[in-house]
Amino acid sequence: MRFPRHRGRLASLACTAALTGSLVVGGTSAAHAAVQPTASTPPPIVPQPVSELAAHGPGFTISATTRIEVTGDDADALGVGRSLAALLHPATGFDLRVSLSRAPEGRAIVLDPEGPASLGTEGYTLSSGARDVRITAHGAEGLFRGIQTLRQLLPGDVESTTLRHDTWTVAPVRITDRPRYAYRGAMLDVARRFFPVADVERYIDQAAAYKMNTLHLHLTDDQGWRIAVDAIPELTGVGGTTQSGFTGGSWYYTKEQYQQIVAYAKARFITVVPEIDGPGHTSAAMASIPGLNCDDKAIPPYSGFGGPGLRMICLTDPQHIANASQYLTTVIDAVAALTPGPYIHIGGDETPQATAAEYNAYVQAASSAVRAQGRTVIGWHQLAQGTLPAGSLLQYWGDSGDRATVGSAHEAADIVEAREGVAQGASFIMSPADRAYMDMRYDASTPYGLSWEGFVPVQKSYDWDPTTVTAKPDGSSPVVAADRIAGVEAALWSDRAYNGSTSLPTSTSQFPEPSVYADFMTFPHLPAIAEIGWSPQSTHDWNSFSVRLAAQAPRWTAAGIGYYAEPGIPWPKLS
Ligand code: TNX
């Protein structure tokens, strides 16, 4: 691994092997010291890098004349350089020059995409001293991840959307970093509550800042259909007229809008995974297409707050299986044509009324449509009840309670289905509902969301490990072995995106703007899950995390993110 010139003397080490507690930013007593980097305390970064060394000496001060130099001739890397300049512009007012350069010299931010292949697609090294800041990666994506770290080495005001007068000094460090898991997702339920494109872009920015690399869009459910499908205009014409608590609108993404989201995500090295849910959670489709119902009559559009098992598409006879198959092929072909990423999510959750044959008819129809488009199937872990194509991914959303049943004569259904998935060769994305469901209320004061998994304060979101989600309580005998875990995903459902969510709403005035709901439930749930996905298990430490998390708050404030200042986190005092 190569490091550039560095003037500072190494002062402390916070690396994987050395993280026994005191060397890291750990300990609540160190809370305020951690916010101001000192010689002995590396700057607080979320997710914790693999290795982070603080250095003595002045940092690198960005001024109006600082150049961003991109080594070599990689257009994508140049794009990353430009996005760094764009990121720095609003708060600093600087229009930093970005250029390709073979041999960068002098005071500059140097982005080098020609680092060793051993860094992997997303790994990077970052070194900063008085003379320069240098990020080295093997390609543009690693540079982009490194820039997310660079942001956190600058004063929090850098996240402001308006001009701030500050000294833009990058804390002096040497960092080596790479992700623990290749799949790190954030899900957004745009079906129960519709999020306009700008709100989805905001969510993408927030996920990218914490080095997530996947946006899973839950595009269809009982309460709404959100993606235009030319061949079946009723899906949006009827299915797009409802949300939970609202009727009479036209709430969906046109093809162009969806492509805008995909492009926005791509520019942030985020892959979009579209979900078409079924065979349950399908009322919007059943209101739009008569032939999906056993009596061939469309149901009225649904705008209620019903939960699991409302109804499912008809799969009882060959004609209706053919109807379902045609619907799924048409929709999946249309969505695949707009989606460059390798995955299509076909749902599969909460269909208690389905017989095994009906359920498998859905899995076959949906998965063969996905395979025909050359894509990989993702489904909720229930999908393992059907026959899966090789190489599928299952999203496990069981909870800690399931673990007590592992290996017993009466294993929880979630565990049985996980076993069936493992036996079929699937890999897993871990979204345990009592940890990674961001719609769970933090505590009794939380105005929005659900609590069917109990409250999920940020420590609960943080204190778990993907390798033991399907293990016995003592951590032994995991049903899903470590080598079958592709990664993690934080899920923001929108069933109850309104004030006073412990009962049903009586007025639409209880609903805040979607981004207000999302900000509050996402921060700080999402950074906790992001760290589980990115950082080595050996760095996992609640005391360290809570201090580093607290140091994020001024950034969120500067960015206008309405987060929940959960009690017990050592948030900096407001000045
Ligand atoms: C369960 S988890 C659901 C969603 C709800 C969520 C609310 C899963 C795959 N299904 O339909 O929105 O709970 O917390």
Side-chain angles (χ1 to χ4, degrees):
M1 206 140 296
R2 101 192 129 88
F3 276 111
R5 303 171 301 278
H6 188 88
R7 287 171 191 280
R9 181 165 67 80
L10 299 185
S12 83
L13 172 66
C15 75
T16 320
L19 291 187
T20 47
S22 56
L23 275 176
V24 208
V25 281
T28 332
S29 57
H32 296 293
V35 176
Q36 287 301 317
T38 66
S40 58
T41 312
I45 294 167
V46 176
Q48 174 65 43
V50 170
S51 152
E52 182 186 9
L53 299 83
H56 278 304
F60 179 81
T61 299
I62 301 174
S63 71
T65 56
T66 299
R67 288 169 292 111
I68 298 174
E69 305 258 5
V70 181
T71 313
D73 52 12
D74 180 330
D76 289 342
L78 183 65
V80 172
R82 293 205 174 109
S83 69
L84 173 60
L87 203 79
L88 295 172
H89 175 77
T92 65
F94 303 152
D95 282 309
L96 300 186
R97 211 185 84 201
V98 186
S99 54
L100 289 171
S101 159
R102 246 307 133 204
E105 279 203 14
R107 294 180 44 78
I109 299 171
V110 179
L111 304 181
D112 177 2
E114 298 176 338
S118 58
L119 286 168
T121 318
E122 296 187 283
Y124 67 93
T125 61
L126 185 157
S127 107
S128 57
R131 192 176 161 73
D132 62 13
V133 174
R134 178 179 285 258
I135 304 178
T136 303
H138 187 65
E141 184 167 353
L143 292 179
F144 184 81
R145 305 293 174 227
I147 280 172
Q148 308 319 308
T149 298
L150 173 58
R151 293 165 76 169
Q152 295 189 31
L153 299 173
L154 282 159
D157 268 359
V158 77
E159 303 299 336
S160 172
T161 51
T162 56
L163 194 62
R164 296 293 170 98
H165 296 285
D166 212 325
T167 304
W168 305 108
T169 301
V170 180
V173 287
R174 290 185 183 187
I175 289 171
T176 302
D177 206 7
R178 61 185 303 153
R180 179 178 179 192
Y181 290 111
Y183 184 112
R184 302 178 310 281
M187 192 211 81
L188 190 61
D189 173 5
V190 297
R192 275 59 171 269
R193 187 87 175 98
F194 180 63
F195 286 72
V197 172
D199 291 341
V200 179
E201 292 178 347
R202 178 185 178 87
Y203 190 72
I204 289 170
D205 280 330
Q206 293 170 347
Y210 291 96
K211 302 190 176 76
M212 296 293 217
N213 64 6
T214 306
L215 171 72
H216 166 186
L217 284 177
H218 185 73
L219 288 169
T220 73
D221 211 296
D222 291 312
Q223 293 89 346
W225 185 280
R226 306 291 174 226
I227 178 77
V229 177
D230 284 346
I232 317 178
E234 296 80 8
L235 283 169
T236 45
V238 178
T241 61
T242 45
Q243 305 185 53
S244 278
F246 299 85
T247 56
S250 182
W251 293 300
Y252 67 94
Y253 307 119
T254 63
K255 291 200 295 184
E256 292 70 28
Q257 287 173 326
Y258 179 81
Q259 285 174 306
Q260 184 183 331
I261 292 169
V262 167
Y264 194 91
K266 184 165 181 278
R268 286 147 188 84
F269 297 89
I270 286 187
T271 300
V272 172
V273 176
E275 179 185 353
I276 305 299
D277 203 353
H281 290 279
T282 41
S283 301
M286 294 165 74
S288 309
I289 304 174
L292 295 181
N293 300 274
C294 287
D295 62 3
D296 293 320
K297 292 199 176 79
I299 59 166
Y302 180 75
S303 59
F305 295 85
L310 275 185
R311 54 184 71 82
M312 59 177 274
I313 56 177
C314 186
L315 295 156
T316 52
D317 58 88
Q319 180 58 54
H320 285 98
I321 292 173
N323 292 351
S325 197
Q326 194 191 347
Y327 147 76
L328 286 164
T329 305
T330 306
V331 166
I332 287 168
D333 287 0
V335 170
L338 303 174
T339 306
Y343 305 115
I344 296 192
H345 198 306
I346 55 173
D349 57 316
E350 298 180 323
T351 44
Q353 328 84 312
T355 65
E358 289 167 359
Y359 192 86
N360 196 41
Y362 174 79
V363 177
Q364 295 323 302
S367 63
S368 53
V370 172
R371 296 301 298 147
Q373 290 295 328
R375 310 302 166 89
T376 296
V377 167
I378 305 186
W380 300 106
H381 69 261
Q382 281 81 11
L383 210 69
Q385 296 169 96
T387 304
L388 300 173
S392 298
L393 280 175
L394 293 174
Q395 188 167 6
Y396 184 81
W397 59 284
D399 64 22
S400 313
D402 291 339
R403 295 178 56 184
T405 72
V406 172
S408 76
H410 302 285
E411 286 188 327
D414 294 331
I415 295 293
V416 172
E417 288 151 4
R419 273 194 200 288
E420 288 167 355
V422 169
Q424 296 198 58
S427 293
F428 286 72
I429 300 159
M430 293 302 184
S431 296
D434 58 343
R435 314 285 183 167
Y437 272 24
M438 302 193 292
D439 62 319
M440 291 301 124
R441 301 164 64 213
Y442 297 96
D443 55 35
S445 79
T446 309
Y448 322 119
L450 284 161
S451 37
W452 59 269
E453 279 288 8
F455 296 134
V456 182
V458 63
Q459 186 168 3
K460 200 165 179 202
S461 275
Y462 182 74
D463 269 342
W464 62 283
D465 191 79
T467 60
T468 54
V469 164
T470 58
K472 290 182 177 178
D474 68 1
S476 66
S477 316
V479 172
V480 180
D483 64 359
R484 290 290 188 90
I485 300 175
V488 302
E489 188 171 291
L492 184 59
W493 298 101
S494 309
D495 307 46
R496 300 272 175 120
Y498 59 86
N499 245 295
S501 64
T502 49
S503 53
L504 291 177
T506 51
S507 157
T508 53
S509 67
Q510 286 171 245
F511 287 78
E513 289 296 315
S515 65
V516 171
Y517 166 73
D519 278 10
F520 193 86
M521 302 312 277
T522 303
F523 287 91
H525 279 141
L526 182 137
I529 309 299
E531 178 148 317
I532 304 283
W534 180 279
S535 304
Q537 189 183 13
S538 55
T539 66
H540 190 89
D541 180 274
W542 166 252
N543 287 333
S544 159
F545 178 72
S546 63
V547 171
R548 288 180 288 107
L549 184 71
Q552 303 294 306
R555 300 178 183 281
W556 302 338
T557 302
I561 295 173
Y563 67 99
Y564 176 48
E566 186 181 298
I569 308 290
W571 306 112
K573 294 199 174 43
L574 292 177
S575 48

